[in-house]
Amino acid sequence: SNTNRQSAVYVSKPDTANAFSLPEVLGAAQDQGDFSPVSVATGPDGSVHVAWINIATGRIALRSKAANSSSWGPERLVYSRQSGEFLANINIGVASDGAIFVSWRVADQRMRVRRSTDGGQSWGTVFQLGERFGFGIPYIATGPGGRVAVAFMSPVGDIYEVFASVWNGSGFDTERVSGAGNDDGNPSATFGADGTLYVAYRGLAESGPNS
């Protein structure tokens, strides 16, 4: 979590423990805590990866810990803001092949995703999802066979619709999930064991059949 609008912290406990560990400070996550959350994901090898945004410096950072290790690796730079960008609402996922995906929102721009295949030491292309600016938190789902999808909400006229961008091995294919003309948002997603992608979301309309 983000603590006191200052730090990205991590806590853990074994299933049999009665309490969580004391918070470990992983790095600075300063300014506007509602826009600089911390996200955690585990890899297929049992590794743990934590990503966060430091609003004050405009940096997205990542730290990783190997399975059964008591120490965290160095802080890695995922992304540094470009002129005029406001970064917010981060999410992280680790694919079944070990690739790390980090997605975030840039205010008034399209959702972004970046991928690392070497444990966060280096990062590839910054992909932009969909055709319109994203809103809220992007949600990463990972599944068998290296399957990855990012679900998000985006405005269409005066309403919001839900989209899913699915990793095709070299980029993302984006499809609308919710019904055209409905007012829907706040999606989450997961893959079934057979690779089926499920996306859940809520109706945003205040009245009528879509509320």
Side-chain angles (χ1 to χ4, degrees), residues 104 106 108-112 128-134:
W104 67 94
V106 177
D108 300 325
Q109 297 185 32
R110 290 183 286 171
M111 291 292 189
R112 306 291 173 86
Q128 300 191 33
L129 307 182
E131 298 179 355
R132 305 171 184 86
F133 74 81

Side-chain angles (χ1 to χ4, degrees), residues 13-165:
K13 79 175 185 71
D15 288 342
T16 56
N18 293 323
F20 280 90
S21 64
L22 293 175
E24 298 178 71
V25 175
L26 300 185
Q30 299 165 306
D31 205 359
Q32 299 193 52
D34 49 347
F35 290 120
S36 53
V38 181
S39 183
V40 62
T42 55
D45 59 354
S47 57
V48 181
H49 307 271
V50 176
W52 68 92
I53 298 173
N54 187 334
I55 296 291
T57 62
R59 291 165 55 92
I60 298 175
L62 172 105
R63 290 186 71 180
S64 301
K65 181 167 64 171
N68 301 317
S69 174
S70 60
S71 60
W72 291 88
E75 183 175 313
R76 308 284 189 185
L77 177 65
V78 177
Y79 183 78
S80 183
R81 71 178 169 213
Q82 306 300 304
S83 177
E85 289 183 342
F86 181 83
L87 313 180
N89 304 127
I90 194 172
N91 202 257
I92 185 173
V94 184
S96 60
D97 61 4
I100 303 171
F101 289 77
V102 175
S103 182
W104 67 94
R105 180 170 71 90
V106 177
D108 300 325
Q109 297 185 32
R110 290 183 286 171
M111 291 292 189
R112 306 291 173 86
V113 183
R114 207 166 195 187
R115 174 175 178 259
S116 173
T117 58
D118 57 9
Q121 297 182 57
S122 62
W123 296 84
T125 301
V126 178
F127 297 99
Q128 300 191 33
L129 307 182
E131 298 179 355
R132 305 171 184 86
F133 74 81
F135 190 76
I137 301 172
Y139 197 100
I140 298 179
T142 60
R147 299 206 68 192
V148 176
V150 183
F152 60 95
M153 60 190 291
S154 187
V156 179
D158 294 330
I159 63 172
Y160 285 96
E161 294 181 354
V162 172
F163 297 84
S165 293

